[in-house]
Amino acid sequence: DVSDVVLEVSSFQLESIKRFKPDISVFLNFAPDHLDRHRSMEEYFEAKLRIFENQTQEDYAVINADDKRLEEYFLNAGYIYHGGGIMTNDKNGKKAKVNADVYFFSTIRRVKGVYADGEKIMFFDGNKTVKICGLNEIKLCGRHNLENVLAAMCAAKLRGIDNDAIIKALDGFVPPHNRIELVREVFGMRFFNDSKGTNIHATLAAIESMDGDTVLILGGSDKGEDFCELFSALPEKIKEICVTGQNAKKITEAAREFLKIKIAEFDTLYDCVKKATKTGCKNVLFSPASASFDRYKNYEERGRDFVKIVGGLADDNS
C-alpha cells in the first residue's frame, strides 16, 4: 500500500520539475517573496504555477478564491463554479492551462469547493452542497489560518475523507513551532514567536491575529521586498517597532516614511526583546518579514533563539 504524502513544494523546486504530478495541488496564496532569487514578480509567479503543469483531468487543483492575484489570473475567466481546463491570458499574453479539475476555497463567497457561509463551513462539488462543520469549531486565530483550514478541508473532501474525520483532525491539531507561537506570558505581556514570518505577507497575517496593542520585532537578511508595502498597510494596533539584522536600516528608512510611532534599531534580537518589555503593550510579536541567514542557519534556529531569550527574562523585568 502507498500512503498519501502531503508535500510543501517551493518555487525553487518547481523551477526544475520534469515529471512531478500531484493528485491534488493547492495554491494557497501569492505575495512578494524570494525576489533575491527570482528576477521579477512575474517570474516568481510563473514558477509557482508549474505545480499544475503535469496534472491531468483525473487530478484536482485547489485555488484560493480570495487572493487578488489568483482572482485576476483564474477567477475572472469564469471558473469560480466550474472546474477543468482553465485557459486564460496573463499580462504578457501567454497562455496558461490547468488540465486538472479546479476547485476553490473562500472565506467570503460561495465557490465550487469549500467556503465559509455565515457560521457554517460548506462544500459544493458542482452538484450538491453539504455542511462540513461550524465556523466555531475552527479554533485557530487569524484569517490566514481560516484560509489554510479551508484549503485542507477541500483537499480532504476531494480525497473522499468524511466530515467526522476532518473535524477530529481539526480538533486535535497543534500548530507547529515558529508560526505565531505563544511562547510565554510575563510582565502582563504575551510573547509570540513567528520566526517563520519571512515575508511581508506573512507578517501582516501574524499582525492581524494579534488582539490588542502590539510591539513588532522585524529584521534579518533581505529578500528584495519593498517594506513600504508593509508600513503603508500596518494596522494601528502596532504601537512600537524594534528592528535588528542585516536589513535593519532599510526597514527603518521605509517605516519612517509612513509611520509616526516609535521605531528603533538594535544590535541584537536580545536587545529588541528587552526594549519590548518596557513598552507596556499587551503583545510582543517577533515576525521578522525577512529571511534568517544573516545570523542563523534557518528560521527554526532563529525561533529557538527568540524562545530562549524570552524564557530567560527575569520576572522583575530588571
Side-chain angles (χ1 to χ4, degrees), residues 171-190:
D171 186 59
F173 177 73
V174 178
H177 297 303
N178 303 301
R179 291 166 173 82
I180 322 180
E181 171 190 11
L182 177 59
V183 177
R184 186 184 181 194
E185 294 188 39
V186 64
F187 317 136
M189 308 175 77
R190 301 184 300 172

Side-chain angles (χ1 to χ4, degrees), residues 31-292:
D33 202 356
H34 302 304
L35 297 180
D36 52 338
R37 177 185 179 99
H38 301 292
R39 290 173 295 182
S40 67
M41 285 281 287
E42 195 60 42
E43 183 179 286
Y44 175 41
F45 189 58
E46 288 177 2
K48 296 196 73 168
L49 286 173
R50 294 196 69 190
I51 194 169
F52 307 120
E53 189 169 294
N54 296 318
Q55 288 188 290
T56 69
Q57 293 180 358
E58 296 179 353
D59 303 313
Y60 298 102
V62 177
I63 297 167
N64 187 349
D66 301 343
D67 183 278
K68 290 182 179 179
R69 181 63 182 268
L70 295 177
E71 181 178 22
E72 174 188 334
Y73 197 77
F74 292 109
L75 304 187
N76 288 348
Y79 288 90
I80 294 179
Y81 298 101
H82 307 289
I86 284 182
M87 183 71 79
T88 185
N89 290 307
D90 68 15
K91 291 181 179 179
N92 295 322
K94 298 177 183 178
K95 294 290 184 180
K97 188 174 183 181
V98 178
N99 286 319
D101 192 4
V102 179
Y103 283 72
F104 296 90
F105 60 95
S106 175
T107 65
I108 58 175
R109 70 184 90 182
R110 184 175 186 263
V111 294
K112 180 188 173 187
V114 174
Y115 60 96
D117 180 12
E119 297 301 314
K120 298 176 290 186
I121 303 300
M122 311 298 293
F123 175 62
F124 174 53
D125 66 2
N127 294 306
K128 64 179 180 179
T129 303
V130 296
K131 177 183 174 182
I132 299 177
C133 67
L135 185 62
N136 62 351
E137 294 179 75
I138 299 175
K139 307 301 183 184
L140 298 173
C141 298
R143 178 177 169 179
H144 68 293
N145 275 324
L146 177 58
E147 290 180 348
N148 291 339
V149 169
L150 298 185
M153 284 181 170
C154 190
K157 294 299 291 183
L158 294 174
R159 201 63 174 160
I161 298 173
D162 63 44
N163 291 349
D164 288 343
I166 291 173
I167 295 168
K168 182 178 179 180
L170 185 63
D171 186 59
F173 177 73
V174 178
H177 297 303
N178 303 301
R179 291 166 173 82
I180 322 180
E181 171 190 11
L182 177 59
V183 177
R184 186 184 181 194
E185 294 188 39
V186 64
F187 317 136
M189 308 175 77
R190 301 184 300 172
F191 291 78
F192 291 89
N193 168 28
D194 190 49
S195 183
K196 184 65 169 65
T198 60
N199 60 51
I200 289 168
H201 181 266
T203 294
L204 283 171
I207 294 169
E208 181 185 348
S209 70
M210 294 293 103
D211 175 24
D213 292 350
T214 301
V215 184
L216 178 62
I217 301 177
L218 295 169
S221 57
D222 200 61
K223 301 170 73 176
E225 292 196 68
D226 181 0
F227 284 94
C228 293
E229 295 181 16
L230 171 63
F231 299 120
S232 63
L234 200 70
E236 292 184 1
K237 69 179 74 174
I238 300 299
K239 301 303 181 183
E240 292 196 29
I241 296 175
C242 300
V243 189
T244 189
Q246 173 258 326
N247 60 357
K249 189 168 293 296
K250 174 182 176 179
I251 292 173
T252 302
E253 289 175 355
R256 287 176 175 157
E257 284 189 39
F258 290 90
L259 306 176
K260 295 182 180 180
I261 61 175
K262 293 182 180 179
I263 304 156
E265 293 180 37
F266 296 92
D267 291 334
T268 68
L269 180 56
Y270 174 84
D271 293 333
C272 287
V273 173
K274 289 297 290 184
K275 167 59 178 175
T277 65
K278 308 293 184 181
T279 62
C281 287
K282 183 177 181 180
N283 308 305
V284 177
L285 173 62
F286 175 49
S287 187
S290 309
S292 56

